[in-house]
Amino acid sequence: MTAAPTLHLTGVSKSYGPVRALQDVSLEVRPGEVLGLIGENGAGKSTLIGVVAGTVRPDAGVVRVHGRDAPLGDARAMSASGVSVVVQEQALVESLRVYENLYLGREVDLVGRAPGRGRRLRRLARTLLAELHLDEIDADAVVADLTYPQRQLVEIAKAFAIAGGSDAPPIILLDEPTSALTEHEAEILFDLIARWRDRVAFIYVSHILQDVLRLSTRLLVLRDGRVVDTLANDEVTDQQLHALMVGRARSTDYYREEEQSGAQDDTPVAELRSASSAADFTQVDLVVRPGEIVGLAGVVGSGKSSVAAAIAGALPLSDGEVVIAGRTRRRWSVSHAVRQGVLYVPPERARDSLFPNASVRSNITIGFLDLLARRSVRLLRIRDERARATELSRRLAVKASSLSVPVRELSGGNQQKTVFARWIGRGHCQVLVLDDPTRGIDVGTREEIYGLIRSLAADGIGVVLCTESLEEVIGLADRVVVMRDGRVSAEIDAPGSTKPTEIDIVEHMM
């Protein structure tokens, strides 16, 4: 006998002004299932997750949990029903300890009000972390002291803590849970899902289609707020899913074999000379030439992200030099870098790039307001600001109901386009430093960003590309610099005609 659905949505619709985020969406998930939810950025995935989590109230439709109508738009009630969410943008209280975050809001229900509550919560947390094989996470650690991947593991542990305390089969929504995890950490999560699948209904959202195909029992594809197809995961390929998601065949623009950007001039636009930064990296020499895409490869902790940040002025050097356009820069910070045309897209856009409550327009123009001020009185030319933001958003195809809406309401891909528009709007760019620019972005938008990167390189901009995807760094880069234990272990040419293999790179990473 087939188990009754743990979660059942019927005819769910949601609009934001003229934008129809969801249109008559229906789905169901049963215990023992992993429903893979896929679609491009802007397809409606985040809105659908918000409806299930109770943070978004739909305009129409019915949500049933364990056969009962659920209160729409009530996050506390949905959590009490056994729904927990791991979101792409972390929602931990960084000043609290790990065990306090795991059981935040449920302390009294779990251990009562008697003295020694903290000790009992610590014991629960240690037991949970051991069960989840998260041995590297200390239950007593302050969350702010953890790395970004470790914080993501705490988010995942928190969802399982809620699931473990539910009498009925719980529902766990995993929204891009591996976006910041190493391969080893992702394998821990995949093992958890396999071991808990018989007692949890999972909804798994990821832009990494291979992971979705590996984990899911069924697949639901969204496009433009509608369900395009629901299909069993039976010999489905990522190419088929891509076609369903975007309505077109996959592009290979990011991995061209014939046409490559190539350096246009031998004179470097940026250099690191014998550069070191505390415990992050040591004696690094790096050269970036006009029109060249230099890829940085290495495992998490190899120093590649720190090297990218140092070029962009976000990480100070303890020794060595930063040289821009042939001049050694004694004072080097983000503000100095921006003035010299060295622009940076960091990996954590929600924390380090965006002003989430500010409008899309403000997030675009914040990068070049100094260029729009009247020199005599230093007042902003509002008309020019609006016109420039409108032109840039159109050029980069930023999907938003209005440039006046808060940028937090945009999908991850459109938020990233906003960051790119900010720096393109400055006009003067010698070097663009990109750290994981396609993290948490769907395949269609990734292709747009690949094309943008190639276009910028073709215009003579030197690009430093740091990414966790070896396929991406090999496909885009003209040259790959491999980092290991804070040092450069190899430099490998990657022309379009003779691309190195992943094995060629990995042997220098380990």
Side-chain angles (χ1 to χ4, degrees):
M1 183 177 178
T2 304
T6 300
L7 173 70
H8 193 174
L9 275 65
T10 306
V12 170
S13 298
K14 177 65 179 178
S15 296
Y16 296 97
V19 177
R20 303 186 69 182
L22 295 176
Q23 303 180 58
D24 195 29
V25 171
S26 299
L27 66 82
E28 60 181 38
V29 192
R30 291 178 165 81
E33 282 195 313
V34 180
L35 179 66
L37 176 61
I38 59 175
E40 288 195 281
N41 283 317
K45 301 188 304 296
S46 296
T47 303
L48 184 56
I49 290 170
V51 169
V52 177
T55 57
V56 173
R57 183 180 180 87
D59 302 326
V62 176
V63 178
R64 291 189 177 92
V65 179
H66 308 308
R68 299 178 180 177
D69 287 358
L72 302 178
D74 188 336
R76 185 180 293 273
M78 295 301 287
S79 179
S81 298
V83 176
S84 56
V85 187
V86 177
V87 294
Q88 187 179 156
E89 310 300 350
Q90 297 173 347
L92 299 173
V93 182
E94 295 192 354
S95 59
L96 298 182
R97 299 184 184 276
V98 169
Y99 78 87
E100 293 172 312
N101 272 278
L102 291 178
Y103 302 110
L104 188 63
R106 301 189 296 130
E107 301 90 343
V108 174
D109 293 338
L110 290 170
V111 298
R113 299 180 181 277
R117 183 172 65 183
R119 183 176 64 254
R120 292 192 291 276
L121 287 174
R122 285 187 183 92
R123 188 161 56 245
L124 285 175
R126 292 188 184 113
T127 300
L128 174 70
L129 293 171
E131 182 182 355
L132 300 180
H133 301 290
L134 301 181
D135 303 321
E136 65 181 274
I137 308 296
D138 182 357
D140 254 333
V142 177
V143 167
D145 295 335
L146 301 178
T147 64
Y148 186 83
Q150 287 174 328
R151 297 199 302 271
Q152 186 73 346
L153 290 174
V154 174
E155 284 272 18
I156 292 165
K158 185 176 180 179
F160 279 88
I162 295 172
S166 176
D167 294 330
I171 303 157
I172 296 182
L173 288 76
L174 299 168
D175 184 9
E176 298 291 345
T178 64
S179 61
L181 302 184
T182 64
E183 183 177 346
H184 170 68
E185 291 163 340
E187 287 297 329
I188 292 175
L189 172 61
F190 298 158
D191 180 62
L192 287 176
I193 293 172
R195 287 191 289 113
W196 282 61
R197 208 177 77 182
D198 60 342
R199 48 179 163 155
V200 175
F202 285 101
I203 297 179
Y204 188 88
V205 183
S206 177
H207 295 304
I208 305 174
L209 297 184
Q210 294 90 339
D211 290 350
V212 178
L213 289 170
R214 171 180 172 179
L215 296 170
S216 303
T217 55
R218 284 191 303 119
L219 302 157
L220 186 144
V221 185
L222 283 177
R223 187 168 75 227
D224 297 328
R226 293 182 179 274
V227 176
V228 176
D229 203 353
T230 303
L231 60 162
N233 187 5
D234 183 17
E235 297 184 356
V236 179
T237 67
D238 58 347
Q239 288 85 358
Q240 290 172 312
L241 293 181
H242 186 277
L244 286 171
M245 289 166 59
V246 302
R248 60 183 185 272
R250 170 179 291 172
S251 166
T252 56
D253 284 347
Y254 83 101
Y255 203 100
R256 283 183 275 181
E257 297 295 337
E258 298 176 0
E259 188 177 341
Q260 198 70 10
S261 60
Q264 300 177 353
D265 187 351
D266 285 338
T267 305
V269 288
E271 297 177 77
L272 291 179
R273 296 177 180 172
S274 301
S276 302
S277 180
D280 295 299
F281 58 86
T282 305
Q283 293 295 300
V284 168
D285 292 303
L286 182 71
V287 174
V288 184
R289 296 177 177 86
E292 182 182 36
I293 302 175
V294 177
L296 296 178
V299 300
V300 173
S302 63
K304 67 180 188 295
S305 287
S306 299
V307 167
I311 296 170
L315 185 70
L317 295 182
S318 56
D319 195 16
E321 297 178 330
V322 176
V323 181
I324 303 298
R327 291 184 56 189
T328 299
R329 304 294 170 173
R330 304 296 179 189
R331 299 173 60 192
W332 195 240
S333 63
V334 171
S335 59
H336 288 100
V338 169
R339 286 196 289 271
Q340 296 302 319
V342 180
L343 309 177
Y344 184 35
V345 178
E348 297 183 43
R349 60 177 171 270
R351 189 181 74 175
D352 297 330
S353 291
L354 298 172
F355 300 89
N357 295 321
S359 68
V360 177
R361 187 183 76 207
S362 296
N363 272 276
I364 292 174
T365 59
I366 190 68
F368 49 87
L369 286 178
D370 55 319
L371 306 180
L372 297 175
R374 299 180 187 276
R375 293 185 178 182
S376 56
V377 293
R378 306 301 295 173
L379 294 177
L380 186 64
R381 300 195 299 269
I382 298 296
R383 183 177 298 176
D384 289 351
E385 184 215 14
R386 290 177 177 171
R388 187 78 67 87
T390 300
E391 189 275 329
L392 287 166
S393 66
R394 185 182 298 115
R395 176 179 169 187
L396 273 72
V398 177
K399 295 179 182 178
S401 58
S402 165
L403 296 187
S404 298
V405 301
V407 75
R408 68 173 186 273
E409 295 185 6
L410 271 57
S411 65
N414 285 300
Q415 289 178 355
Q416 193 73 314
K417 288 182 188 178
T418 299
V419 178
F420 271 86
R422 172 189 301 168
W423 295 134
I424 290 173
R426 280 202 72 82
H428 172 56
C429 177
Q430 295 191 87
V431 184
L432 185 62
V433 182
L434 307 174
D435 194 344
D436 235 356
T438 61
R439 174 188 288 178
I441 292 176
D442 67 80
V443 287
T445 307
R446 281 206 302 267
E447 289 174 3
E448 293 181 52
I449 290 179
Y450 296 150
L452 179 59
I453 292 171
R454 290 225 179 269
S455 173
L456 294 170
D459 288 340
I461 294 172
V463 178
V464 178
L465 174 67
C466 178
T467 173
E468 298 302 318
S469 168
L470 279 181
E471 184 182 35
E472 191 169 275
V473 77
I474 292 170
L476 283 167
D478 302 303
R479 180 163 49 92
V480 180
V481 175
V482 187
M483 298 287 299
R484 182 175 64 201
D485 298 328
R487 294 180 179 271
V488 174
S489 58
E491 283 197 28
I492 302 171
D493 287 335
S497 56
T498 54
K499 287 288 187 182
T501 66
E502 293 188 18
I503 294 175
D504 295 331
I505 306 295
V506 168
E507 66 180 2
H508 297 287
M509 292 169 53
M510 304 301 182

